[in-house]
Amino acid sequence: MSIFLRQRWRDKRLKYDRIEGVPALQLNTKSINGVWVPDLFILNEKRATIHNVVVPNKLLHIQPDGSILYSIRISGTFSCDVNLLKYPLDNQICPLIIESYGYTSETLVLQWYREAVEKKEDIILSQFSLDCIDTFKCDKQYAGMNFSCVQMNIKLDRLYDYYLLQIYVPSILIVILSWVSFWISVDATPARISLGLLTVLAMTTQSSGLPKVSYFKAIDVWMVSCLCFVFAALIEFAYVNVLSRVEQRRLSHVVDATNNKTEYLRRSLPEKMGNQTSSRINLFFRNMASREKARNVDKISRVIFPMLFLLFNVIYWTVYIFD
């Protein structure tokens, strides 16, 4: 952040008679060093500098009654503990904590002015939108001594349009693509295996580049769930393929046994009885073919997989957006 830190206080030692045409004394940077100023520091500062181009960016005005306005321009990096459980659908609250370093509350008391924070109206952030700013006191105690403290909390809402376009929508399309195999013939083994592996690999590469933390984020739940859906579609084909091959082996054994039995019956029984037996056997095989398990599993998957994925979406977006 880049901020103008403005401070107001009254020092009775600096009272003077009002000068006509001069509302306040405006000190230059050299004279400022001879005036007492509060020893403030920013508790969560990591790196910060006071601007010195082209002169030190400091201002100090003294009113006749000893009231002082002191302003400095600071740019720095300040720490902010974030919670990424809902990332990238999260919002963060980042503080700016200002304390007195050496003066206890008995000597120096800090409090926010009437308009505590003024923000630039046209601020544009690449990843967040600036929601609101809250200010309050946060007096602290160190080594049994009380120190005055003021705090500013900045609420930042993450902009997730990028994640919708680059992660959520592509992963949804990949999951839908994995369902195409349910309409491909069971005998087209190379096509269905290639499609299943392609979608699984696509999902694994989607998760690269995300923040790495020791707990599950919202985006992790999404990616893992989508990976499970495409992996389940691949496992479904393996199950269908096994059913198909087992059914084929059973049918081949039954056909061989039935042909032998039919030939025997034709030789040992009258011709009429043999024809009736053959008709019954042919009807039996037609009924078996119409109830083929492998095709039924594909038909059920065409309905079950989209319904489960739709249910997952309803739960996911309800929990992470409206909770």
Side-chain angles (χ1 to χ4, degrees):
M1 290 192 300
S2 183
I3 61 175
F4 292 91
L5 180 60
R6 299 187 179 101
Q7 306 168 57
R8 295 176 183 270
W9 71 92
R10 181 173 296 176
D11 191 340
K12 296 180 180 179
R13 298 171 298 178
L14 299 178
K15 285 184 178 181
Y16 63 92
D17 295 332
R18 184 178 297 276
I19 303 173
E20 186 177 353
V22 181
L25 296 179
Q26 302 179 12
L27 277 62
N28 58 28
T29 54
K30 292 182 179 180
S31 301
I32 290 175
N33 296 329
V35 177
W36 177 90
V37 297
D39 61 339
L40 303 187
F41 78 105
I42 301 176
L43 182 63
N44 56 322
E45 172 262 331
K46 297 180 69 176
R47 292 181 300 275
T49 56
I50 298 176
H51 290 258
N52 290 296
V53 180
V54 289
V55 294
N57 293 175
K58 297 181 179 181
L59 174 149
L60 195 146
H61 292 179
I62 304 176
Q63 303 286 341
D65 62 350
S67 297
I68 297 174
L69 169 63
Y70 178 55
S71 175
I72 55 176
R73 183 186 174 202
I74 301 173
S75 289
T77 301
F78 308 94
S79 63
C80 176
D81 295 331
V82 297
N83 186 342
L84 296 178
L85 283 174
K86 292 187 176 182
Y87 176 90
L89 308 173
D90 59 327
N91 56 67
Q92 305 296 337
I93 296 179
C94 291
L96 186 73
I97 306 171
I98 302 175
E99 297 183 19
S100 170
Y101 190 83
Y103 296 108
T104 63
S105 298
E106 297 175 355
T107 305
L108 179 63
V109 176
L110 302 177
Q111 61 183 20
W112 290 107
Y113 199 60
R114 291 190 295 268
E115 295 182 5
V117 180
E118 299 176 5
K119 66 177 182 178
K120 190 178 180 182
E121 294 300 330
D122 58 347
I123 291 179
I124 298 177
L125 304 177
S126 60
Q127 298 186 36
F128 296 92
S129 63
L130 190 59
D131 188 358
C132 63
I133 299 176
D134 297 323
T135 57
F136 52 91
K137 287 183 63 65
C138 57
D139 293 351
K140 300 181 182 300
Q141 188 176 64
Y142 301 107
M145 296 181 292
N146 296 321
F147 290 86
S148 186
C149 168
V150 290
Q151 181 170 336
M152 172 181 70
N153 282 348
I154 304 172
K155 185 179 180 182
L156 301 171
D157 292 330
R158 192 181 300 276
L159 303 174
Y160 52 83
D161 297 354
Y162 167 82
Y163 300 93
L164 288 176
L165 295 176
Q166 298 295 326
I167 295 180
Y168 285 101
V169 172
S171 58
I172 290 174
L173 296 178
I174 292 172
V175 173
I176 294 175
L177 180 62
S178 68
W179 301 339
V180 174
S181 65
F182 302 150
W183 278 266
I184 300 177
S185 173
V186 178
D187 299 327
T189 303
R192 295 190 66 164
I193 290 180
S194 299
L195 184 61
L197 292 177
L198 176 65
T199 53
V200 170
L201 292 175
M203 284 305 308
T204 54
T205 55
Q206 276 283 96
S207 59
S208 60
L210 298 175
K212 296 176 176 58
V213 293
S214 59
Y215 50 84
F216 259 76
K217 308 180 293 295
I219 193 69
D220 295 332
V221 174
W222 175 268
M223 298 303 294
V224 170
S225 300
C226 290
L227 180 61
C228 290
F229 272 101
V230 297
F231 186 74
L234 181 61
I235 295 300
E236 188 270 352
F237 166 67
Y239 178 68
V240 166
N241 186 262
V242 170
L243 283 180
S244 176
R245 288 188 287 108
V246 169
E247 196 68 25
Q248 289 177 359
R249 287 198 296 267
R250 288 177 179 174
L251 289 174
S252 63
H253 292 321
V254 171
V255 168
D256 293 339
T258 305
N259 288 337
N260 294 334
K261 186 175 181 180
T262 302
E263 186 66 24
Y264 171 77
L265 290 173
R266 283 180 178 176
R267 291 179 182 177
S268 59
L269 297 176
E271 183 176 354
K272 185 176 180 180
M273 292 290 293
N275 292 335
Q276 291 178 353
T277 305
S278 298
S279 299
R280 292 178 180 176
I281 293 172
N282 291 333
L283 179 61
F284 170 76
F285 284 123
R286 285 197 297 270
N287 291 336
M288 285 291 294
S290 65
R291 297 194 302 269
E292 188 176 9
K293 292 183 180 180
R295 292 181 181 178
N296 288 339
V297 172
D298 271 345
K299 292 178 181 178
I300 294 173
S301 299
R302 296 171 192 174
V303 178
I304 294 297
F305 273 73
M307 289 181 61
L308 289 177
F309 190 64
L310 179 61
L311 178 62
F312 163 71
N313 272 268
V314 171
I315 296 174
Y316 179 87
W317 295 108
T318 301
V319 169
Y320 287 107
I321 288 184
F322 301 107
D323 187 10

